[in-house]
Amino acid sequence: EVQLVETGGGLIQPGGSLRLSCAASGFTVSSNYMSWVRQAPGKGLEWVSVIYSGGSTYYADSVKGRFTISRDNSKNTLYLQMNSLRAEDTAVYYCARDGNFDIWGQGTMVTVSS
Amino acid sequence: DIVMTQTPLSSPVTLGQPASISCRSSQSLVHSDGNTYLSWLQQRPGQPPRLLIYKISNRFSGVPDRFSGSGAGTDFTLKISRVEAEDVGVYYCMQATQFPRTFGGGTKVEIK
């Protein structure tokens, strides 16, 4: 079965760090473009970052310099390292296969609050 | 950045009646490879987004044929031929032609 499963969310204080994971099954992460998308409570969807099959990465301006996308090919897993977290980063974070965005995970909630 | 503008914000529909959602992009979504990476997503309450339509008019696997997409360049439309109760949710258009990927603000489909 083709699926993505995110883990790693939680409650974190402003300025803190968190690493999200997205485990894939049924397809190979490293052969695809993979994105992170977030959704603040009650709000719409916001694209965060992408990693190309070749390894190039791109970020939304709102997270550039604070977030890092990466992958572990041996584990078929995508990551999002989030540093210097702010209250406005509070959201459900989804990983998705980029391009047609045909595969989405169920999301993991990140709450940044003191 | 490409701005995606959806209308209407909300669409109360009678069961069995059609619904239509428009999406306009601030610039052409035609990619250098010739494809137009315009997708439509459905998000039911409490659920992650789900792909309905990709590259303007291609219905994704398992999506009922009452959903259809059309358009070109900067103007796109999602149509539901006969709304069913399970269609309640928020619908988003999105573009994956350029970075950053951008989404419309969403259209809430509800039953009258």
Side-chain angles (χ1 to χ4, degrees):
Chain A
E1 183 189 6
V2 172
Q3 67 173 355
L4 294 167
V5 178
E6 302 96 335
T7 54
L11 174 63
I12 188 76
Q13 292 191 337
S17 297
L18 210 55
R19 188 178 82 156
L20 306 183
S21 300
C22 169
S25 54
F27 72 101
T28 303
V29 164
S30 61
S31 299
N32 289 272
Y33 293 5
M34 297 294 299
S35 271
W36 287 96
V37 175
R38 68 184 180 182
Q39 186 171 35
K43 301 297 184 181
L45 301 167
E46 180 190 16
W47 176 80
V48 173
S49 180
V50 67
I51 184 165
Y52 279 8
S53 49
S56 298
T57 58
Y58 294 88
Y59 299 91
D61 287 345
S62 57
V63 306
K64 204 173 294 181
R66 300 188 299 124
F67 290 12
T68 302
I69 191 171
S70 64
R71 66 185 182 221
D72 184 329
N73 296 344
S74 67
K75 295 181 178 178
N76 206 27
T77 297
L78 180 72
Y79 300 100
L80 186 68
Q81 176 67 44
M82 304 186 296
N83 299 329
S84 304
L85 283 161
R86 306 167 179 166
E88 55 265 34
D89 296 317
T90 293
V92 175
Y93 284 75
Y94 298 100
C95 58
R97 184 160 71 176
D98 196 274
N100 293 323
F101 285 78
D102 56 340
I103 307 170
W104 291 73
Q106 85 289 349
T108 187
M109 182 72 205
V110 173
T111 303
V112 185
S113 174
S114 53
Chain B
D1 298 3
I2 297 177
V3 177
M4 305 295 287
T5 304
Q6 274 182 247
T7 54
L9 260 66
S10 175
S11 180
V13 186
T14 301
L15 285 172
Q17 292 301 301
S20 181
I21 301 170
S22 294
C23 176
R24 177 167 289 177
S25 58
S26 60
Q27 53 187 279
S28 173
L29 298 186
V30 179
H31 192 274
S32 57
D33 66 8
N35 290 307
T36 299
Y37 293 98
L38 183 283
S39 296
W40 288 96
L41 308 171
Q42 176 196 60
Q43 189 173 32
R44 291 170 171 151
Q47 296 293 313
R50 163 200 178 200
L51 177 66
L52 295 177
I53 303 287
Y54 64 97
K55 286 191 266 188
I56 302 178
S57 60
N58 295 273
R59 202 176 303 116
F60 187 54
S61 175
V63 174
D65 61 8
R66 64 179 180 275
F67 290 94
S68 64
S70 63
T74 62
D75 285 281
F76 308 94
T77 302
L78 175 72
K79 291 183 178 175
I80 311 174
S81 59
R82 295 172 305 279
V83 171
E84 298 190 5
E86 66 177 19
D87 300 336
V88 165
V90 180
Y91 292 76
Y92 296 94
C93 61
M94 69 157 298
Q95 65 83 20
T97 294
Q98 283 189 20
F99 289 108
R101 309 318 197 190
T102 47
F103 298 84
T107 295
K108 188 172 186 178
V109 171
E110 51 195 356
I111 306 301
K112 268 185 200 172

